[in-house]
Amino acid sequence: ERLFFDAQSGLLVRRIAYLLEVHRAHPEHLLVLTFSNEATDELRQRIASRFGEDIASAITISTFHGFGVSLLHHYGHFDGVEVQACIMDEAGQRELVTSLLAEVPCRTLLNLARPHETVELIVQHIGYLKDRVYTPETLAAELAGWQPSAAEQRRYAQAQEFLGMFRRYEEARSARKLLDFADLIALPIRILTNEEAIRTTYRQRYPWVLVDEYQDVCRSVASLLRLLCGPDNPPWVVGDPRQAIFRFRGAAPENVHTFHEDFPGARPFHLTINYRSCGDVVEEANHLARLMHAAQPGGMGAFEAWQPHPSNPTAFGLPAVSIAVANSDKAEQQGIVQQVHSWRTAGAALSDIVVLARRNIDVRNIVLALGAAEIPATTSGLATAEGVAGDLANLITLADHPRS
C-alpha cells in the first residue's frame, strides 16, 4: 500500500490512526502538541472526520502554550502562580517595559529619539532568552565570565543595563500577577522539574505523546517535552528544519538535529518523496534547501534531496517558478491580481490558487485588491483593526482556583 502523506500533519494523522486502529490505544491516552491554534483546529477536524467527534474530543490536542495554561491551572500554585494571574500579549509586555524605563538605569540602552524602538528590542531580547530557559540569574552568571576588551566596554555596559531591566521586568511581572507567553513554557518546566509526583502523573496519563511541526518549536519546548516523556512514553515527532519559518517567534529548527541527543535511542525516519508538487517546484525547493544546508554548522549529515512522486501533477504553465519585482505594495497587489486572472483564464479553479504573504496587513490588502477585481478570496486567522477580536483575544485569565 502506498501511503499518501500530504504534509507533516497528514503523517501525524496516519500515526494517530495506527495507534487507534492497530495498537488499540485509548484516545484519552494520546497527547498531541502543535505550534499554532490553526494547526490544532485542523488536526481536530481531520481526526473528527475520520474517527468521529467522540474520539476527537477524547484526544488531548493542544498547542504547547495551551498545554502550559492547563498545567498551570491545576498545578501553578506549586510555583506561586496566583489564581488571578493574567497572560500578557506583546503589547502588554511593551507597556510593562515602558513603565519601568524611569526606574531602571538604561542610559546606554535608551534611544531618546525613538524610545519605542528601545522598548521593542528589550521585549524581543527578553522573549529570546526566556524561550531558551534563561533567567536573570543564569544571564548574570554568563555575564560574570565576560572580560570585556576596551572595544567591548559599551556593549558590556548595555548588557549589564539589560540584565537590570530583565531582573526588574520579572519582579514587576510577578508582583502584578502577570505572565508572558514564555512563562507558559518556563513555569511548567520548573514545576515538572521540581515535582516528581506531577511529572509521573503526566507520564502515566499520556503514554503516547505526538508533536507536529517540530522545527517550529523553541528550545524551551524541547526541555518541556523531555520532562513530559520518560523511558516508557518516548515522544513521536515530525519535523523538517528546511521548513522552519517562525524563527522570529523563537523557533529553533536545530531541535530536529539534536533530537537524538535530547532523546537518546530515538529512531529517525527520513521521508524524501514529495507527493504534492510538480517536478519543477521540487527542483527549485531542493536548490534553496542546498543553500540552507551549506549555511548551517557541521553535524547535519549528508544533504538528502526531495524526489517528486511519478503521480504528482505537472506544472500549470511555464515557467513553473518565476520571480516578479514590484516597486510598491500597490504594484505588488496588482501583479498578484493579474497573475490570478491569467491562471483563471487558462482554466485554473479558484480553489486551486493560494496566495501567501509575510504580514497580516499584506494578507488584508491582497484580499481587498482581489475583491476589488471581483475575484472571491477567503482568509482565516486574520486579526486587523477592522476585526472584532482585537487585543482582547490575547488576554486570558486564570479565573478558576488552581486546586479545583
Side-chain angles (χ1 to χ4, degrees), residues 10 37 39 57 66 111 122 145-146 152 169 199 217 233 295 332-333 340 358 363-364 366 373 384 386:
N37 288 324
S57 61
N111 181 345
I122 291 173
W146 183 7
E152 294 176 323
Y169 169 91
R199 189 167 66 245
V217 305
N233 69 330
E332 179 184 61
Q333 294 153 22
V340 172
R358 187 174 65 87
V363 174
R364 170 191 176 277
I366 292 168
T384 67
E386 291 80 4

Side-chain angles (χ1 to χ4, degrees), residues 37 41 78 89 99 127 171 245 296 338 344 349 351 371 375 404:
N37 288 324
D41 293 340
F78 280 88
D89 61 5
S99 71
E171 293 171 351
I245 60 174
Q296 294 298 319
Q338 293 171 11
R344 293 186 72 190
S351 58
I375 299 175
S404 62

Side-chain angles (χ1 to χ4, degrees), residues 302-326:
F303 175 78
E304 292 187 82
W306 290 301
Q307 301 295 328
H309 192 271
S311 66
N312 286 13
T314 57
F316 188 82
L318 295 174
V321 179
S322 62
I323 298 176
V325 179

Side-chain angles (χ1 to χ4, degrees), residues 19-200:
L19 292 175
L20 295 176
E21 297 174 344
V22 178
H23 207 281
R24 300 297 180 184
H26 295 288
E28 61 269 20
H29 290 165
L30 272 63
L31 172 62
V32 184
L33 297 168
T34 70
F35 174 74
S36 67
N37 288 324
E38 289 81 0
T40 298
D41 293 340
E42 179 187 355
L43 273 174
R44 186 174 287 109
Q45 291 170 8
R46 294 175 73 169
I47 293 171
S49 66
R50 176 160 183 170
F51 301 103
E53 289 290 345
D54 290 343
I55 296 294
S57 61
I59 298 174
T60 301
I61 307 172
S62 173
T63 65
F64 276 96
H65 291 86
F67 178 82
V69 170
S70 175
L71 190 148
L72 292 176
H73 171 81
H74 293 289
Y75 301 108
H77 56 285
F78 280 88
D79 199 68
V81 177
E82 298 283 350
V83 295
Q84 302 91 352
C86 293
I87 300 171
M88 299 182 290
D89 61 5
E90 290 186 359
Q93 290 179 272
R94 290 192 293 268
E95 182 179 348
L96 177 58
V97 170
T98 299
S99 71
L100 300 175
L101 290 178
E103 60 180 270
V104 179
C106 53
R107 182 175 56 85
T108 63
L109 284 178
L110 184 60
N111 181 345
L112 292 175
R114 296 183 176 87
H116 63 280
E117 292 183 0
T118 301
V119 170
E120 183 68 35
L121 285 173
I122 291 173
V123 169
Q124 290 176 2
H125 280 72
I126 289 175
Y128 180 91
L129 290 170
K130 295 182 70 170
D131 281 340
R132 286 154 181 80
V133 207
Y134 273 82
T135 65
E137 291 71 31
T138 54
L139 178 60
E142 294 279 353
L143 291 179
W146 183 7
Q147 300 298 322
S149 64
E152 294 176 323
Q153 289 298 323
R154 178 172 176 78
R155 290 181 58 198
Y156 181 76
Q158 289 177 326
Q160 291 293 341
E161 286 187 354
F162 172 77
L163 172 61
M165 177 62 77
F166 188 11
R167 182 176 285 119
R168 185 69 189 97
Y169 169 91
E170 290 290 86
E171 293 171 351
R173 179 192 57 72
S174 178
R176 300 181 192 186
K177 300 179 176 59
L178 297 172
L179 303 173
D180 57 34
F181 285 126
D183 290 320
L184 304 183
I185 304 298
L187 295 180
I189 286 175
R190 203 151 63 200
I191 292 170
L192 291 173
T193 299
N194 297 333
E195 304 295 335
E196 182 179 358
I198 299 175
R199 189 167 66 245
T200 300

